[in-house]
Amino acid sequence: MINDFLIINCIGNKDKIGLRIKKNFYIHDFTNKIINNDQLVSSILDLIKKYKIILNDKFSIIVNCGPGSFSSIRASISIAKGIKISKNVNLYAFRNSDLKRFNQENIELLIVNGLLQKKLIKPIYIS
């Protein structure tokens, strides 16, 4: 069961990241429409430091694999995979169409309904 997680929803439109830790859920909205890789990495690091997150095999990262912007999806998946490799966290992906609203209840529905992919994350780009 996925308890504590970071969710990255950056597909080039209404980009957000969320963090659930100890049953509390925190959301970070990106104010500008186009985020860059540095801003995404900084925001993730800020959340991890602010809430004193321990990244280990009990922590999960959930990333949106599209459809969406090529560069936003590639950056999101690359950052998530980098954290997985360096900290041995669990990595999952979901499709944009499976998440109706970015809130804790709908994210928990993704988890409970088995809508997360674990083995191979295949990005879906809009051309």
Side-chain angles (χ1 to χ4, degrees), residues 58-88:
K58 294 178 179 142
F59 191 81
S60 299
I61 297 178
I62 304 169
V63 63
N64 190 335
C65 65
S69 162
F70 176 82
S71 58
S72 295
I73 293 171
R74 292 295 293 176
S76 299
I77 292 173
S78 297
I79 292 165
K81 284 186 175 182
I83 296 170
K84 180 193 178 9
I85 290 168
S86 65
K87 298 295 184 178
N88 197 32

Side-chain angles (χ1 to χ4, degrees), residues 11-23:
I11 57 169
N13 183 20
K14 298 179 184 175
D15 296 334
K16 300 176 186 214
I17 56 176
L19 176 70
R20 185 173 82 176
I21 190 78
K22 298 178 184 173
K23 305 277 183 182

Side-chain angles (χ1 to χ4, degrees), residues 75-127:
S76 299
I77 292 173
S78 297
I79 292 165
K81 284 186 175 182
I83 296 170
K84 180 193 178 9
I85 290 168
S86 65
K87 298 295 184 178
N88 197 32
V89 300
N90 298 301
L91 180 59
Y92 300 93
F94 68 95
R95 292 179 181 258
N96 191 46
S97 59
D98 292 335
L99 184 64
K100 305 299 180 212
R101 270 198 196 124
F102 193 86
N103 59 31
Q104 185 172 356
E105 294 80 28
N106 285 317
I107 294 167
E108 287 174 355
L109 283 175
L110 281 176
I111 296 166
V112 171
N113 293 334
L115 297 173
L116 300 177
Q117 305 168 15
K118 184 167 181 156
K119 291 185 180 177
L120 179 63
I121 297 174
K122 296 181 182 179
I124 305 165
Y125 307 118
I126 296 176
S127 53

Side-chain angles (χ1 to χ4, degrees), residues 25-81:
F25 189 67
Y26 308 97
I27 296 176
H28 174 76
D29 273 319
F30 292 97
T31 53
N32 54 349
K33 291 184 180 181
I34 300 173
I35 63 165
N36 61 34
N37 301 345
D38 293 337
Q39 186 181 9
L40 179 58
V41 171
S42 294
S43 298
I44 291 171
L45 289 174
D46 289 345
L47 277 176
I48 290 170
K49 287 177 187 174
K50 182 176 181 178
Y51 297 105
K52 299 177 176 104
I53 306 304
I54 298 171
L55 297 174
N56 58 25
D57 61 347
K58 294 178 179 142
F59 191 81
S60 299
I61 297 178
I62 304 169
V63 63
N64 190 335
C65 65
S69 162
F70 176 82
S71 58
S72 295
I73 293 171
R74 292 295 293 176
S76 299
I77 292 173
S78 297
I79 292 165
K81 284 186 175 182

